[in-house]
Amino acid sequence: MSLLPAETRYAARVLASRPGVTLIAVVTLALAIGANTAIFTVYNALLLRTLPFPDAEQLVQLGRQYPEQQSPAVSIPKYFRWRADAAPVLTAIAGFDLLGSGFNLVGSGRPERVTGTRVTADFLRVLGIAPVLGRDFHDDEDRPGGPKLAIIS
């Protein structure tokens, strides 16, 4: 233990005698620590932290992959077929628009673009959440030509 102060002073003298090498070492350490912090932040957000929904470990995402296409998009008829066939295996199945392109809000005055996404009637039930005010979607709103409904968050 008595050698620690002497060794520390010696290390400081050596580092001070070669400022170029010291600067390179400090910059390299700073870049490495910053890169590791950034990588762990992404890893933690994507893989370690659970989704903020009840029973999040039971959620799965279904999709189709085509050789020429990178999108896991599924057609509406295919979704309804999967929903009918999934009854004995999955508790519920819901669909959503991956793009979330938004909507044109029209009324009195100028139209306005609002952010949003299209979802099926079981979407909130699959996630295990309920609206604070108002109501959830009804099944008759999930068919083509059915009544339109918007849930505002």
Side-chain angles (χ1 to χ4, degrees), residues 7 26 28 30 38 44 51 59 70 73 79 84 89 93 98 100 108 125 128-129 133-134 148 153:
E7 293 291 329
V26 168
T28 302
N44 184 39
L51 295 171
L59 291 175
Q70 295 298 323
Y79 159 75
V89 179
I93 186 170
L98 276 175
S108 60
R125 285 179 286 233
I129 56 177
L133 293 173
K148 307 265 189 266
S153 66

Side-chain angles (χ1 to χ4, degrees), residues 129-152:
I129 56 177
V132 175
L133 293 173
R135 65 172 180 86
D136 196 355
F137 298 109
H138 291 155
D139 290 334
D140 62 335
E141 295 160 345
D142 204 15
R143 61 181 167 74
K148 307 265 189 266
L149 175 73
I151 294 180
I152 301 172

Side-chain angles (χ1 to χ4, degrees), residues 26-143:
V26 168
V27 168
T28 302
L29 282 172
L31 288 175
I33 290 170
N36 279 315
T37 302
I39 290 170
F40 180 75
T41 301
V42 170
Y43 179 77
N44 184 39
L46 295 178
L47 300 175
L48 297 181
R49 222 173 340 149
T50 61
L51 295 171
F53 306 114
D55 301 322
E57 69 278 355
Q58 295 182 5
L59 291 175
V60 295
Q61 181 176 350
L62 303 175
R64 294 185 69 177
Q65 187 127 13
Y66 300 98
E68 310 85 32
Q69 185 180 3
Q70 295 298 323
S71 170
V74 176
S75 67
I76 296 296
K78 179 66 75 177
Y79 159 75
F80 283 118
R81 176 63 188 250
W82 283 2
R83 190 172 74 173
D85 292 345
V89 179
L90 301 174
T91 306
I93 186 170
F96 64 97
D97 179 12
L98 276 175
L99 299 178
S101 57
F103 305 93
N104 291 325
L105 180 64
V106 293
S108 60
R110 293 179 45 129
E112 187 176 335
R113 189 76 177 165
V114 294
T115 304
T117 191
R118 292 165 180 84
V119 299
T120 59
D122 281 342
F123 187 74
L124 296 178
R125 285 179 286 233
V126 166
L127 295 179
I129 56 177
V132 175
L133 293 173
R135 65 172 180 86
D136 196 355
F137 298 109
H138 291 155
D139 290 334
D140 62 335
E141 295 160 345
D142 204 15
R143 61 181 167 74

